[in-house]
Amino acid sequence: MTIPWLTILALLPAVGAVVLIFTGAKGAKQLALVFSLLTFAFALVIASQFRIGGGMQLVEQVPWIKPLGAYYALGLDGLGLTLVLLVVIITPVVIIASWRDFDGVGVSAEPIDGRAATIAPKYDARVFFALILAVQSCALFLFLATDVFLFYVFFEVILVPMYFLIGGFGPGPRRTYAAAKFLIFGLLGGFVMLASVIGLYVQSAKVGAPSYLLSTLSQLDIATGTGRWLFVGFMFAFAIKAPLVPLHTWLPDAAEESTPGSATMMVGVMDKIGTFGMIRFCLGLFPEASQWATPVVLILATISILYGAILAIGSRDIMRFIAYTSISHFGFIVLGIFAFTSQSLTGSTLYMLNHGMSTAALFVMAGYLIKRRGSRDINAYGGVDQVAPVLAGLLLFAGLSTLSLPGLSSFVSEFMVLAGTFGRHPAYAAISTLAIVLAALYILIMYQRTMTGPVAPEVREKVTEINGRERLAMAPLVLLILVLGFFPKPLLSIIEPSTQATMQHVGVTDPQPRVSAEGGR
């Protein structure tokens, strides 16, 4: 009997979430950590079996809803493996970093811009850690699904635990509003995508038995006009999830009203579903429509890159600040996807992993600051480097990773995206390069205001150095960011075959190098 490796991997966190519900709150975080580490270990076992260049592997395929042609179908390729590794790395980091978040009444925060102070969580720690594991399980199913209907189901289901993480545990008084806004945007995207999912059923039924398998749908000869409409439905949903300007407004509110752990799962893990879906479904199912939409998508991606960076410079709330930086970075990922070069597409896939780790590091360090000082206001700090130098140093490291400093992992992916884009769309690449300067500006401004200068009285009184557990949470992120910054080849070798397969399916090749008349003589 064949072992259902992928099913076990995706179900482990879900089982953990169910177990947590029936245990006392005291042992919740320990059990959550055990299940997250078991999932991590199992993912490493699966990764060791992965054959580079072997296409879709460890395939599981069982008829699910026969009248619809829906299958319970899972598979793993280079794109999926990269994001699976991201999920299993981030989740235990979030659990360790959130270890003491609910030991007291809750995080206390000072008013920002006249708003009221923080309110306590609605539920206990057991529910929080169960919801974290539920988000992890849904994300794994999404990155492994090779059936469109199965993907759609989990695309909607993941909204539920994330909604309760924001609305039930958010420290701000606007958490209910932010959770509702998050849910409305998510359901709107899912509703529009559902129309395209139904359209795919109609198209597959025309040529025989209906099927939602990606392997079947990718071979359909869909009329140009129909394909473009179906593409728009998927792309709209993914642009909300990513998020892409102008469909981004839910993210800053949701991040601002979330705990750092919840925000990390939302931005570092869940939002990658959008850019993953663009590659897997938009390019995989609608290659002609993807090329047709490229001019508009490139414009929106470039706007996102600059708009997010500019808003980050003026942000006072540190959680909102990180959300705006993420909007800018998601713009880079989308730009690389729709530049249609192997270098940019490989860079975008790697960027998803690197952005997840960098964002997780920033949110974790922001959480440590907020827990100590009791304020999300960047201007409420000052002189932290004198009372907590390790905390300040790790925040600087996370910031430098976010601005893609050479030697850190984000630099490799951002450089690949820009270099690959320049080969086909030099104007967009040149304009987007301005964001590198803006990134240095917003990170250094944030660091200067919070960490340097005279020590604020409240900082001297409340801020202490991070302890061993808090350093342990950051350790894997720091290690991976450094290692992948100098030696990204193992991951690139996993990603590149998937990139080549996608490029071949879309029917595009890399542009020829531009050679001047004199240089060609």
Side-chain angles (χ1 to χ4, degrees), residues 408-466:
L408 303 181
S409 59
S410 297
F411 171 77
V412 179
S413 47
E414 190 166 295
F415 182 85
M416 291 181 70
V417 166
L418 288 172
T421 302
F422 188 85
R424 197 182 296 276
H425 303 285
Y428 291 111
I431 295 171
S432 299
T433 304
L434 294 173
I436 297 175
V437 179
L438 296 176
L441 190 60
Y442 61 64
I443 289 296
L444 294 177
I445 288 175
M446 180 275 295
Y447 183 81
Q448 180 187 36
R449 291 177 179 176
T450 56
M451 299 293 112
T452 65
V455 182
E458 295 85 356
V459 170
R460 189 179 297 280
E461 178 185 347
K462 298 178 181 179
V463 176
T464 57
E465 189 60 276
I466 59 175

Side-chain angles (χ1 to χ4, degrees), residues 231-289:
F231 165 87
V232 169
F234 279 93
M235 187 63 192
F236 181 81
F238 296 145
I240 288 177
K241 193 79 81 180
L244 197 65
V245 172
L247 303 172
H248 67 288
T249 58
W250 63 270
L251 180 61
D253 289 328
E256 182 180 353
E257 300 300 323
S258 295
T259 65
S262 302
T264 302
M265 294 302 292
M266 177 176 63
V267 182
V269 173
M270 191 198 74
D271 286 357
K272 302 300 183 295
I273 297 164
T275 45
F276 167 83
M278 291 177 193
I279 299 174
R280 178 76 85 214
F281 297 95
C282 291
L283 273 60
L285 298 179
F286 315 106
E288 187 280 333

Side-chain angles (χ1 to χ4, degrees), residues 163-213:
Y163 168 81
F164 284 105
L165 281 172
I166 300 169
F169 294 92
R174 297 173 67 247
R175 65 186 182 187
T176 302
Y177 163 79
K181 188 174 183 179
F182 161 82
L183 189 62
I184 290 170
F185 269 77
L187 290 175
L188 175 62
F191 177 76
V192 174
M193 189 169 82
L194 178 59
S196 291
V197 171
I198 295 171
L200 284 175
Y201 168 84
V202 173
Q203 293 299 310
S204 66
K206 285 181 179 180
V207 296
S211 174
Y212 275 118
L213 288 173

Side-chain angles (χ1 to χ4, degrees), residues 302-364:
T302 305
I303 292 173
S304 295
I305 291 168
L306 299 178
Y307 181 77
I310 292 169
L311 289 183
I313 293 173
S315 296
R316 282 185 58 185
D317 188 297
I318 193 167
M319 300 292 285
R320 199 174 188 89
F321 162 81
I322 300 172
Y324 283 130
T325 68
S326 294
I327 291 171
S328 180
H329 293 305
F330 274 112
F332 274 112
I333 297 172
V334 176
L335 181 74
I337 292 171
F338 283 86
F340 289 117
T341 67
S342 57
Q343 190 176 28
S344 67
L345 186 54
T346 300
S348 288
T349 304
L350 183 61
Y351 210 137
M352 290 187 230
L353 176 73
N354 291 332
H355 173 263
M357 294 191 297
S358 299
T359 301
L362 266 181
F363 273 126
V364 167

Side-chain angles (χ1 to χ4, degrees), residues 199-200 202-204 206-207 217 219-231 285-290 292:
L200 284 175
V202 173
Q203 293 299 310
S204 66
K206 285 181 179 180
V207 296
L217 294 174
Q219 303 303 317
L220 289 180
D221 185 15
I222 302 176
T224 300
T226 303
R228 290 178 178 180
W229 278 111
L230 297 179
F231 165 87
L285 298 179
F286 315 106
E288 187 280 333
S290 297
W292 162 74

